[in-house]
Amino acid sequence: MKRLSVILTIWAMTATSAMAATPIVWNDLKDPVAARFEDPFDTLYFTELRSIATVYRLRERLKQGAVRDEERPRVEERLRIEEAKLEEAGVETDYLLSQREAISKRQTEAALKGNPALNGKEIAISGYVIPIIAEDGTAVSGYLVPTYGMCSHIPSPAPNQLIRYKLDDDWKDAELYKPVSLSGRLDLNLSRQTITLLDGQVTMVAVFDLDVTDIRPVGQSASGVEQRSFRNFRRTQ
């Protein structure tokens, strides 16, 4: 009876903790103040952003003399075509390029700042697991990302869209990109770690730590292929 009482007490504490957690979405993790700046690139279509990047690259090649004489007519023609497309679309190419470095700096600063209102709070958030196994063989940490395939098939998210989670016990059922809802205490703590993921190394820069108290599955895995073993992944530094 005593053992049953202890089990029921632990279950009640876990249930209470999970119920007390405030559900949040990934955009809530961003610092609203740092994210509030005018970004003239936000209003552009992907094709326009690609054209601006091409214009910048071609102008730099011509400016630095990195074009052979026989290539120059072709490069200059390509540049004129891209500039004309942007002008026809009403895009102020020269102005945008003049703001490129300043906007890039603001974007970087915003990406490194988490929402201070969530620091120390009990939260619940859904995402996809990138599990890590420690040197002693225990699976007690990893990362949660907002989109399936991030950091391997597609680029890593911004640091304030990456959560490093920690567990008290080994999570034997963890799978790469397993969809889950994690609950626990969220803390602002900028970290940097290099891990081996699939066939290469990836540097994970996370703004948040999450001390997990509850794990719940969410739907089915987004992958149609057989899940790779959790224990195939190792921390490299």
Side-chain angles (χ1 to χ4, degrees):
M1 290 295 295
K2 183 177 180 181
R3 182 180 179 185
L4 177 60
S5 176
V6 171
I7 292 174
L8 290 174
T9 299
I10 294 174
W11 176 85
M13 291 174 62
T14 302
T16 301
S17 175
M19 291 174 61
T22 300
I24 65 169
V25 296
W26 287 90
N27 275 340
D28 293 334
L29 297 174
K30 299 177 182 179
D31 182 346
V33 176
R36 195 182 304 127
F37 67 93
E38 185 177 351
D39 185 350
F41 292 92
D42 271 350
T43 60
L44 301 181
Y45 293 108
F46 173 76
T47 53
E48 294 168 347
L49 289 170
R50 186 170 57 187
S51 287
I52 286 179
T54 300
V55 167
Y56 175 77
R57 177 173 55 83
L58 295 179
R59 285 182 178 180
E60 287 297 301
R61 287 185 63 193
L62 291 169
K63 179 181 177 181
Q64 295 171 8
V67 179
R68 297 194 301 269
D69 290 342
E70 60 271 24
E71 290 183 310
R72 180 172 290 273
R74 180 178 58 81
V75 171
E76 290 178 340
E77 178 61 19
R78 175 74 185 284
L79 178 59
R80 281 193 293 270
I81 291 172
E82 296 296 334
E83 289 174 336
K85 286 196 299 186
L86 290 168
E87 183 177 2
E88 184 177 355
V91 176
E92 298 180 0
T93 303
D94 291 338
Y95 169 74
L96 290 174
L97 289 178
S98 72
Q99 298 297 307
R100 185 179 60 86
E101 291 186 7
I103 293 299
S104 177
K105 182 179 179 180
R106 292 292 301 273
Q107 289 173 337
T108 300
E109 291 173 350
L112 287 169
K113 292 186 178 179
N115 189 345
L118 295 177
N119 189 37
K121 302 295 184 182
E122 294 288 328
I123 64 95
I125 187 169
S126 297
Y128 297 88
V129 172
I130 298 178
I132 303 296
I133 191 166
E135 295 294 335
D136 61 0
T138 58
V140 295
S141 67
Y143 292 90
L144 191 70
V145 295
T147 302
Y148 179 87
M150 276 186 161
C151 306
S152 58
H153 304 303
I154 58 178
S156 302
N160 62 10
Q161 297 291 281
L162 182 63
I163 296 174
R164 182 177 66 170
Y165 68 77
K166 297 178 290 183
L167 304 163
D168 288 334
D169 299 312
D170 190 9
W171 184 7
K172 294 182 174 62
D173 294 331
E175 298 172 346
L176 179 63
Y177 298 128
K178 182 174 184 175
V180 296
S181 174
L182 300 184
S183 299
R185 177 190 168 102
L186 189 71
D187 290 300
L188 283 167
N189 182 32
L190 183 63
S191 64
R192 182 185 184 93
Q193 182 182 21
T194 299
I195 65 173
T196 300
L197 182 58
L198 300 182
D199 296 325
Q201 291 189 331
V202 182
T203 298
M204 312 290 277
V205 181
V207 166
F208 292 99
D209 278 348
L210 181 66
D211 286 319
V212 177
T213 56
D214 187 62
I215 303 170
R216 297 173 185 267
V218 176
Q220 298 297 319
S221 171
S223 173
V225 300
E226 181 180 355
Q227 290 287 352
R228 294 176 174 82
S229 170
F230 177 40
R231 297 183 179 277
N232 284 340
F233 300 90
R234 297 288 189 272
R235 180 170 57 191
T236 57
Q237 66 183 47

